[in-house]
Amino acid sequence: MIIGHRGVAALAPENTLSGINAAADLGIKWVELDVQLTRDNVPVLFHDESVNRCTNGIGRLDLFTLAQLRELDAGAWFNARFEGEKVPTLEETLTLCAQRGISVNLEIKCHSKTAPGLLVEKVAKVIKSTGFPSENLLLSSFSLPAIEHCLAMLPDCRVGLITEQTAPAFLDDIEPLNIFSVHCDQRHLSPELADAILSRGYQLNIWTLNEVRKAQYFHGLGVTHIITDDPAPFSE
Ligand code: G3P
Ligand code: MG
């Protein structure tokens, strides 16, 4: 099973509505998207701590109000074809995904200044108000506090831990939590680590794999979902 990374990061500006439409046009069923809060606490799709790389603005994302953020161009940096693209709210995102039949692996993106409880609270509110089906949602985070807030505030949603760990010791720390999946950096996933994750009953997913020739190998290790920037070659 293929999940488009940040939408379809190779084909459209990451974490945008164009990326979601590109995924749907390709027939992809799942996208991974990153969510953060604006200064006025609106959940929006964005990966980096600053707007510098993916917009024509400068500065920390969490210091922009939604209105200020909407003045920025979030597409032209990627390709002139996407000029005019805006940073989308989570509400717009889930509405579009529901319309286009796309399921969402929503990464609760925590940077140094993020308050995980507030972020998850605002995300939970949008998930509930849009009525986005929990079976079409997989929440994930590198942040254990964010994961604990997800489990508490969205008990119907599956929650995954994203990790760069290479040794299985971290699995002891998460054992008391009701985590559904572990999302490993494909560069660090050994057969031993895969076995340890699977033997504890977690679904095993990897990021970010762009070499299609390795897909069979990871499938053999028990990987269920592959997060990739460019899903097209995987379906050839
Ligand atoms: O969700 C997996 C992957 O997206 C984590 O890394 O930095 O691309 O958000 P990053
Ligand atoms: Mg991510």
Side-chain angles (χ1 to χ4, degrees), residues 26 32 59 159 166 168 200:
L26 277 175
E32 187 262 4
V159 182
T166 53
R200 285 167 168 83

Side-chain angles (χ1 to χ4, degrees), residues 85-101:
E85 187 86 39
K86 300 291 170 201
V87 174
T89 64
L90 180 62
E91 185 177 8
E92 289 169 329
T93 300
L94 294 182
T95 304
L96 178 63
C97 288
Q99 279 166 3
R100 299 228 49 185

Side-chain angles (χ1 to χ4, degrees), residues 22 51 68 100 138 158 169 173 178 182 185 194 197 202-203 230:
V51 300
Q68 291 165 338
R100 299 228 49 185
L138 171 59
R158 292 166 293 174
D173 301 335
N178 187 22
V182 177
D185 183 334
I197 291 167
Y202 299 114
Q203 184 183 85
D230 188 2

Side-chain angles (χ1 to χ4, degrees), residues 27-72:
I28 299 303
K29 293 289 170 223
W30 280 84
V31 291
E32 187 262 4
L33 301 164
D34 305 288
V35 67
Q36 301 186 50
L37 290 182
T38 61
R39 183 182 188 142
D40 45 350
N41 295 325
V42 181
V44 291
L45 297 191
F46 214 78
H47 177 273
D48 295 358
E49 189 162 22
S50 91
V51 300
N52 301 13
R53 181 176 62 91
C54 293
T55 74
N56 59 347
I58 289 175
R60 264 172 44 200
L61 173 100
D62 63 350
L63 298 180
F64 283 77
T65 63
L66 180 64
Q68 291 165 338
L69 204 55
R70 295 293 216 173
E71 286 172 19
L72 303 183

Side-chain angles (χ1 to χ4, degrees), residues 163-167 184-191 193 207 218:
T163 184
E164 291 174 309
Q165 300 287 325
T166 53
C184 291
D185 183 334
Q186 56 94 14
R187 294 169 298 179
H188 305 321
L189 181 64
S190 62
L193 181 55
W207 51 277
F218 284 114

Side-chain angles (χ1 to χ4, degrees), residues 5-6 32 34 47 105 107 109 140 142 162 207-208 227:
H5 187 222
R6 308 182 193 171
E32 187 262 4
D34 305 288
H47 177 273
N105 170 202
E107 179 181 346
K109 185 55 92 182
S140 62
F142 283 101
I162 311 172
W207 51 277
T208 302
I227 299 176

Side-chain angles (χ1 to χ4, degrees), residues 5-229:
H5 187 222
R6 308 182 193 171
V8 203
L11 305 180
E14 62 186 59
N15 286 309
T16 62
L17 299 184
S18 286
I20 293 162
N21 280 318
D25 292 345
L26 277 175
I28 299 303
K29 293 289 170 223
W30 280 84
V31 291
E32 187 262 4
L33 301 164
D34 305 288
V35 67
Q36 301 186 50
L37 290 182
T38 61
R39 183 182 188 142
D40 45 350
N41 295 325
V42 181
V44 291
L45 297 191
F46 214 78
H47 177 273
D48 295 358
E49 189 162 22
S50 91
V51 300
N52 301 13
R53 181 176 62 91
C54 293
T55 74
N56 59 347
I58 289 175
R60 264 172 44 200
L61 173 100
D62 63 350
L63 298 180
F64 283 77
T65 63
L66 180 64
Q68 291 165 338
L69 204 55
R70 295 293 216 173
E71 286 172 19
L72 303 183
D73 187 296
W77 69 274
F78 184 83
N79 187 298
R81 274 190 302 130
F82 295 98
E83 194 181 332
E85 187 86 39
K86 300 291 170 201
V87 174
T89 64
L90 180 62
E91 185 177 8
E92 289 169 329
T93 300
L94 294 182
T95 304
L96 178 63
C97 288
Q99 279 166 3
R100 299 228 49 185
I102 295 270
S103 296
V104 180
N105 170 202
L106 188 64
E107 179 181 346
I108 310 295
K109 185 55 92 182
C110 296
H111 292 294
S112 58
K113 302 279 197 296
T114 304
L118 182 64
L119 172 55
V120 175
E121 181 194 320
K122 299 297 177 186
V123 166
K125 216 171 161 183
V126 173
I127 290 171
K128 288 175 185 163
S129 70
T130 54
F132 196 78
S134 51
E135 62 269 25
N136 296 345
L137 200 55
L138 171 59
L139 303 171
S140 62
S141 191
F142 283 101
S143 156
L144 270 184
I147 284 176
E148 288 175 319
H149 287 298
C150 288
L151 292 166
M153 293 183 210
L154 290 158
D156 296 339
C157 287
R158 292 166 293 174
V159 182
L161 171 73
I162 311 172
T163 184
E164 291 174 309
Q165 300 287 325
T166 53
F170 73 93
L171 293 168
D172 295 337
D173 301 335
I174 63 169
E175 213 193 325
L177 304 175
N178 187 22
I179 285 176
F180 172 76
S181 52
V182 177
H183 304 209
C184 291
D185 183 334
Q186 56 94 14
R187 294 169 298 179
H188 305 321
L189 181 64
S190 62
E192 296 72 33
L193 181 55
D195 280 350
I197 291 167
L198 295 169
S199 68
R200 285 167 168 83
Y202 299 114
Q203 184 183 85
L204 172 58
N205 301 325
I206 54 167
W207 51 277
T208 302
L209 184 72
N210 291 324
E211 292 145 289
V212 68
R213 64 185 169 83
K214 290 190 183 165
Q216 211 48 44
Y217 166 74
F218 284 114
H219 186 64
L221 292 188
V223 168
T224 306
H225 289 82
I226 292 174
I227 299 176
T228 178
D229 291 321

